[in-house]
Amino acid sequence: MRTTSLVIAFAASLLFIPQSQAQTSATGFPKGELSNAKNHTGNIWLSELNVGDSTFDPSIAMATYDAGAKLDWHIHPGGQVLLITEGTGYYQERGKPARIVHKGDVIKCAPGVEHWHGATPNDTFAYIAVTPTAKGKTIWLEPVSDKDYKSVK
Amino acid sequence: MRTTSLVIAFAASLLFIPQSQAQTSATGFPKGELSNAKNHTGNIWLSELNVGDSTFDPSIAMATYDAGAKLDWHIHPGGQVLLITEGTGYYQERGKPARIVHKGDVIKCAPGVEHWHGATPNDTFAYIAVTPTAKGKTIWLEPVSDKDYKSVK
């Protein structure tokens, strides 16, 4: 009986190896640096995969959020596509209800639309963002209110 | 003893669940459709994540290769960035030696450069390709020779 318990404990410990590896590096790209920018609340890591320039326009970057972390409201003059690679997050455009987004979702944010995105309160969240830069840099607005953050159903 | 064996067999079967999930869908995006295009040899699945258009230029697509599958030589008039998400592949620009690329690598192919990419003989290969479309569609050239494919060291 004791042998059986040990086998179960050993097998259970092995079970968590692939899962934890998938959570820390599902895409294989580096998690990057902890952001010290003023345009978010909570911890967000940023990993630049391609600098947008005149030869090849879109900026490509991975962002990884601690549970509860969120960006302020903002606008992309050239739009943005988010490829969700880990966890569960919120996405909201001004005047619309916030919605829950998951790993495997593709979010298309049209040029000029005020919006925010962030992690849910109890799960990490990561995406690869593709952001054309030729029409201008991101315009940052006010922080997301607790009312908006807690409004998601 | 028989109970212990059953516990080991059950635990071993569980162990493969997270690993097989990671292999078939590391990014979470659908594998897409098997390509019937004439511009490659071997099986390649294509999953369109964003259509490039005048509102948001870059096309974004995931490609998944069986071991040994490879594209023909080709040119992107607007360049391309490949985000390698699974496995091991080859990448070669005309006049340069082919090189081995891995999950987590970012490959930047400049506009107008003749090149090819594909899976290694014994490993699958997948990437997300970001391809600006405003400067023109991909120009396809000749298939990759066995000499070039086997030249990688």
Side-chain angles (χ1 to χ4, degrees):
Chain A
M1 189 63 184
R2 195 179 163 209
T3 305
T4 305
S5 300
L6 283 173
V7 168
I8 291 172
F10 174 69
S13 71
L14 288 178
L15 273 173
F16 287 95
I17 294 174
Q19 290 175 335
S20 62
Q21 284 176 341
Q23 283 171 7
T24 53
S25 181
T27 58
F29 304 109
K31 193 173 179 180
E33 303 295 325
L34 189 61
S35 168
N36 60 6
K38 303 294 184 189
N39 54 33
H40 61 84
T41 55
N43 288 333
I44 302 178
W45 283 258
L46 298 175
S47 180
E48 189 168 69
L49 303 179
N50 185 71
V51 180
D53 59 26
S54 58
T55 304
F56 187 87
D57 178 33
S59 150
I60 306 174
M62 193 173 74
T64 304
Y65 293 61
D66 271 358
K70 58 188 182 299
L71 291 183
D72 295 351
W73 287 92
H74 60 283
I75 297 168
H76 302 293
Q80 184 178 67
V81 168
L82 301 177
L83 311 172
I84 314 300
T85 55
E86 288 183 56
T88 313
Y90 294 153
Y91 174 82
Q92 183 176 27
E93 298 184 354
R94 188 83 77 184
K96 299 180 181 178
R99 61 192 178 101
I100 299 176
V101 295
H102 304 276
K103 175 177 176 173
D105 286 347
V106 177
I107 310 300
K108 303 179 187 188
C109 179
V113 171
E114 295 185 18
H115 71 288
W116 68 273
H117 29 101
T120 53
N122 300 311
D123 194 4
T124 56
F125 179 52
Y127 54 71
I128 294 169
V130 180
T131 317
T133 62
K135 294 181 182 174
K137 292 183 176 179
T138 303
I139 300 164
W140 293 100
L141 306 169
E142 79 279 12
V144 176
S145 68
D146 281 351
K147 182 184 172 190
D148 279 335
Y149 188 71
K150 292 175 179 171
S151 71
V152 190
K153 292 171 184 171
Chain B
M1 189 63 182
R2 194 177 166 210
T3 305
T4 305
S5 299
L6 284 173
V7 168
I8 290 173
F10 175 68
S13 71
L14 288 178
L15 273 173
F16 288 95
I17 294 174
Q19 291 174 335
S20 63
Q21 282 176 343
Q23 283 170 6
T24 53
S25 182
T27 58
F29 304 110
K31 192 173 180 181
E33 301 297 323
L34 188 60
S35 167
N36 60 6
K38 303 293 183 190
N39 54 31
H40 61 83
T41 55
N43 287 333
I44 302 178
W45 282 259
L46 298 175
S47 180
E48 190 168 68
L49 303 178
N50 185 70
V51 179
D53 59 25
S54 58
T55 303
F56 186 87
D57 178 33
S59 150
I60 306 174
M62 193 172 75
T64 304
Y65 294 59
D66 271 356
K70 57 188 184 300
L71 290 184
D72 295 349
W73 287 92
H74 60 284
I75 297 168
H76 302 293
Q80 184 178 67
V81 169
L82 300 177
L83 312 171
I84 314 299
T85 55
E86 287 183 56
T88 312
Y90 294 153
Y91 174 80
Q92 182 176 27
E93 297 183 354
R94 187 83 76 183
K96 298 180 180 178
R99 61 192 179 99
I100 299 175
V101 296
H102 304 276
K103 175 177 176 172
D105 287 345
V106 177
I107 310 300
K108 302 180 187 187
C109 180
V113 170
E114 294 184 18
H115 70 288
W116 68 272
H117 29 100
T120 52
N122 301 310
D123 195 5
T124 55
F125 179 53
Y127 55 70
I128 294 169
V130 180
T131 316
T133 61
K135 293 181 182 173
K137 291 184 176 178
T138 302
I139 300 164
W140 292 100
L141 306 170
E142 80 279 12
V144 175
S145 69
D146 282 351
K147 183 183 171 189
D148 280 335
Y149 188 70
K150 292 176 179 171
S151 70
V152 191
K153 293 171 184 172

